[in-house]
Amino acid sequence: MNIMTYQTLLYYCYSPIENAEQFAADHLAFCQSLNLVGRIIVADEGLNGTVSGTQESCTAYMEAVYADGRFNKTEFKIDDVDEPSFIKMHCRYKSEIVHSGMRNPKEIDPNRQTGIHLEPKDFLEMKDQDDVVVLDVRSNYEHTVGRFKNAVTLDIENFREFPEKIKELEQYKGKKILTYCTGGIKCEKASALLLKEGFEDVYQLHGGIIKYGKEAGGEDFQGQCYVFDNRVTVDVNSVNPSIVSTCRNCGTTTAKMINCANPVCNEHFTQCDACGVELDGCCSDVCKEHPRKRQYDGTGYYVKVPQPVNAEKISKRKHKQIIKGS
């Protein structure tokens, strides 16, 4: 029997952080002291992270987060894994823990107004009612590989495009809107934006798809759930599982999602093993012949490497700054 000795923690917390940039640097050092790997975003508005390590290290991390009064309402989604889900540890300061795409992000504050949180069992009971619309607020590559049955999906590459898509949802204003995402963090802002735009009955799946899988068996979630680590996707449905995605190249049913081996392309897409071998992990013959193509090991997951400096882009940016300053 394979005994899993590692864990992966998915979490977020909207809570104001003073000197957040310094906090990010200190928090990185703390995570490294616990030998954790993962990715954490720190902003003035809070924390958004996924970390992975031994059970002891993960327990110590959770205890430290809870001990900080600012984050004692944090909920951790815990997965047992047979190896760490990242290779390195990153903790970076950004303007938002989820990029909202708004010119003034402070117009919405999930601590003041957000959708009604539905526990998984309540979401399960409500989702098929006639006056309900289930809304996926995730990006294309996420809902392509897995989504709730009959969910409304949006054609967006990043969540920052969500505000522009709200007008497409006007037809549902008289219904109850049930939003969902991977772990709940995007729904905090998506539901707040919907309320701001006049939608009245707005709800969100508390804990997201991950918690729904653990507490409601993932019933009626079709396909797999995309996660932001080297597992890429995980199973969540133990009740009526299915696969809804197909290979981009041949159309065969597959749940495997990879990044194109050509780092210049790096497109995220579903590809079956046979096409992966034939195209050497690339999305096309053109990318397969690219001189910078990475070695394909069958996973389609690559450690991020620094890209060459784009001198032209830097020059244009400096030119704009000079014009603004004149």
Side-chain angles (χ1 to χ4, degrees):
M1 179 181 292
N2 182 26
I3 300 175
M4 296 183 180
T5 58
Y6 298 96
Q7 291 181 329
T8 296
L9 312 176
L10 173 67
Y11 70 96
Y12 70 89
C13 183
Y14 283 99
S15 180
I17 302 176
E18 291 187 11
N19 302 316
E21 196 164 357
Q22 182 60 50
F23 177 90
D26 296 340
H27 201 64
L28 172 61
F30 172 64
C31 290
Q32 291 173 331
S33 75
L34 293 176
N35 293 316
L36 292 171
V37 289
R39 185 182 298 115
I40 300 173
I41 298 173
V42 177
D44 297 343
E45 64 182 3
L47 298 173
N48 174 16
T50 308
V51 296
S52 191
T54 64
Q55 292 181 10
E56 293 78 11
S57 293
C58 288
T59 296
Y61 181 78
M62 289 187 287
E63 289 176 349
V65 170
Y66 286 136
D68 188 321
R70 293 171 292 183
F71 314 125
N72 54 18
K73 64 180 181 180
T74 304
E75 290 190 17
F76 289 93
K77 273 74 74 176
I78 306 171
D79 279 340
D80 292 320
V81 294
D82 55 8
E83 62 181 6
S85 299
F86 293 87
I87 297 174
K88 297 181 179 181
M89 184 69 232
H90 298 282
C91 184
R92 295 188 174 94
Y93 172 77
K94 293 190 177 183
S95 59
E96 298 177 79
I97 56 176
V98 171
H99 196 327
S100 66
M102 299 182 66
R103 291 186 178 179
N104 181 13
K106 293 184 179 180
E107 287 183 26
I108 56 171
D109 179 0
N111 287 316
R112 288 190 292 108
Q113 186 181 44
T114 191
I116 298 170
H117 288 65
L118 289 175
E119 294 304 318
K121 62 180 180 61
D122 299 318
F123 183 91
L124 176 61
E125 291 177 4
M126 285 184 63
K127 68 181 182 62
D128 294 323
Q129 295 176 8
D130 292 339
D131 62 342
V132 163
V133 171
V134 177
L135 175 64
D136 193 321
V137 303
R138 301 172 303 154
S139 303
N140 288 337
Y141 61 89
E142 296 175 84
H143 61 66
T144 293
V145 77
R147 54 194 176 271
F148 276 103
K149 182 179 68 176
N150 299 323
V152 172
T153 58
L154 301 173
D155 182 15
I156 57 177
E157 294 300 321
N158 296 283
F159 182 72
R160 59 177 173 267
E161 298 172 28
F162 179 80
E164 300 173 4
K165 294 292 182 176
I166 292 180
K167 59 181 176 293
E168 297 180 9
L169 303 173
E170 290 286 326
Q171 58 186 307
Y172 305 121
K173 266 197 172 178
K175 294 181 176 288
K176 296 174 182 175
I177 310 295
L178 274 57
T179 66
Y180 73 88
C181 60
T182 307
I185 187 170
K186 291 179 180 177
C187 288
E188 299 282 9
K189 288 193 173 181
S191 61
L193 283 164
L194 288 168
L195 289 167
K196 181 176 179 294
E197 294 300 319
F199 290 80
E200 297 180 355
D201 292 323
V202 182
Y203 303 79
Q204 63 189 77
L205 174 56
H206 184 205
I209 301 163
I210 299 300
K211 185 176 181 180
Y212 183 82
K214 295 179 183 299
E215 298 185 9
E219 184 174 344
D220 289 337
F221 185 83
Q222 301 174 318
Q224 292 189 311
C225 179
Y226 181 91
V227 290
F228 297 85
D229 57 60
N230 62 11
R231 294 172 296 170
V232 186
T233 61
V234 296
D235 292 319
V236 295
N237 190 334
S238 59
V239 179
N240 53 352
S242 61
I243 299 176
V244 294
S245 51
T246 58
C247 175
R248 163 179 172 153
N249 304 105
C250 71
T252 301
T253 300
T254 180
K256 185 176 182 179
M257 177 166 272
I258 71 168
N259 281 103
C260 180
N262 174 8
V264 177
C265 172
N266 206 45
E267 184 173 350
H268 223 34
F269 65 101
T270 48
Q271 184 181 65
C272 70
D273 287 328
C275 288
V277 171
E278 183 180 345
L279 291 167
D280 208 16
C282 292
C283 64
S284 65
D285 288 320
V286 173
C287 282
K288 183 180 178 180
E289 299 303 319
H290 196 279
R292 289 183 55 206
K293 189 189 79 64
R294 297 170 288 201
Q295 184 175 353
Y296 179 59
D297 65 1
T299 66
Y301 177 83
Y302 306 96
V303 178
K304 189 173 183 180
V305 295
Q307 298 296 309
V309 174
N310 189 328
E312 183 181 356
K313 184 180 289 187
I314 293 175
S315 177
K316 287 181 179 179
R317 186 165 64 241
K318 286 183 176 180
H319 181 66
K320 287 181 180 180
Q321 291 173 347
I322 291 172
I323 293 175
K324 287 183 179 179
S326 60

